[in-house]
Amino acid sequence: MSADPTTHFGYKTVATDEKASKVAEVFHSVAAKYDVMNDLMSLGVHRIWKKMTIESAAVRSGQRVLDLAGGTGDLAAAFSRKVGETGQVVLSDINDSMLKVGRSKLADMGILGNVEYVQANAESLPFPDNYFDCITIAFGLRNVTDKQKALESMARVLKPGGRLLVLEFSKPVHKSLSTLYDVYSFTLLPLMGKLIVNDSESYKYLAESIRMHPDQETLKGMMETAGLDNCNYTNMTGGIVALHKGFKF
């Protein structure tokens, strides 16, 4: 864990060793309707963001892919088809409720043979050094207690020549968009959470956690500090979301 005895949980300050359990409570609460809420919250645009991430991963037959904070398995399902029978996809999440939903969803899709499910903390990944050709983490890094430690753990298990992709909410590039986004995030999101999941607090946390996440340039610098090279990012939807990419050489 971080050496700092406190950290943020949304806008609240909590003990560092309590954050993971508090984040777990959020995702236990929303797991069953996570996909429904994603479609509603983003008006379906999250599917485009994820499609761009999958294309940027450039995964090939026979490769090993780790989908961290993989939740309900959208990326893992696509990677499973791309790596084929000779490849391997590991769908990993710290939250067992999310992992169970993902496993059930992929089984219903007929995806069985080349996907493994591992409950793990991104800060201390239980995999060998230089193991994966590609690692993705979509909308999960902001929930990690020690983000720098997690990025270093990802870099460790990435093969030389491999790539890490971080898809995450970020900072809108235009002030007018930022203002509208704030109104949406702090008014409509908790209301949707209340109506659909009967949980407004989890979606209030979602909005706050996005605002506490490092901006585009800061996250790029953190990836470089973790030992990744050629780090860059692409803004999507005006910077509401950014896709960061880094390589291990």
Side-chain angles (χ1 to χ4, degrees), residues 7-14 22 201 204 208 212:
T7 188
H8 59 81
F9 175 72
Y11 288 162
K12 298 175 183 176
T13 298
V14 300
K22 289 185 175 295
E201 284 300 308
K204 180 184 176 188
E208 292 177 354
M212 298 300 291

Side-chain angles (χ1 to χ4, degrees), residues 108-126:
D108 288 345
M109 295 170 67
I111 296 172
L112 298 170
N114 63 355
V115 180
E116 297 180 19
Y117 302 86
V118 177
Q119 186 174 356
N121 187 330
E123 297 176 25
S124 52
L125 293 171

Side-chain angles (χ1 to χ4, degrees), residues 198-218:
N198 194 30
D199 182 355
S200 61
E201 284 300 308
S202 290
Y203 288 92
K204 180 184 176 188
Y205 161 75
L206 169 66
E208 292 177 354
S209 70
I210 292 168
R211 300 319 185 277
M212 298 300 291
H213 187 66
D215 64 18
Q216 289 92 323
E217 284 293 327
T218 303

Side-chain angles (χ1 to χ4, degrees), residues 147-168:
K147 297 173 181 61
Q148 189 64 54
K149 188 175 180 182
L151 290 168
E152 290 167 3
S153 183
M154 294 177 217
R156 177 185 64 78
V157 302
L158 197 61
K159 285 182 180 178
R163 67 184 70 191
L164 167 66
L165 292 102
V166 181
L167 179 66
E168 189 55 88

Side-chain angles (χ1 to χ4, degrees), residues 88-115:
Q88 177 192 32
V89 177
V90 176
L91 172 55
S92 179
D93 203 293
I94 195 172
N95 187 279
D96 65 319
S97 294
M98 295 292 288
L99 208 56
K100 286 173 183 173
V101 172
R103 183 193 293 265
S104 177
K105 178 178 169 181
L106 266 61
D108 288 345
M109 295 170 67
I111 296 172
L112 298 170
N114 63 355
V115 180

Side-chain angles (χ1 to χ4, degrees), residues 2-68:
S2 169
D4 191 332
T6 62
T7 188
H8 59 81
F9 175 72
Y11 288 162
K12 298 175 183 176
T13 298
V14 300
T16 297
D17 58 5
E18 292 179 1
K19 180 172 178 177
S21 63
K22 289 185 175 295
V23 171
E25 290 171 12
V26 169
F27 286 94
H28 285 313
S29 174
V30 305
K33 294 189 176 179
Y34 185 79
D35 285 340
V36 172
M37 281 297 291
N38 273 353
D39 279 330
L40 288 172
M41 288 188 303
S42 71
L43 301 176
V45 178
H46 77 99
R47 296 178 184 274
I48 298 173
W49 298 332
K50 290 173 181 175
K51 183 179 179 182
M52 291 181 67
T53 303
I54 292 161
E55 290 173 353
S56 295
V59 169
R60 302 188 304 276
S61 177
Q63 290 190 322
R64 285 195 191 112
V65 181
L66 172 62
D67 182 23
L68 267 179

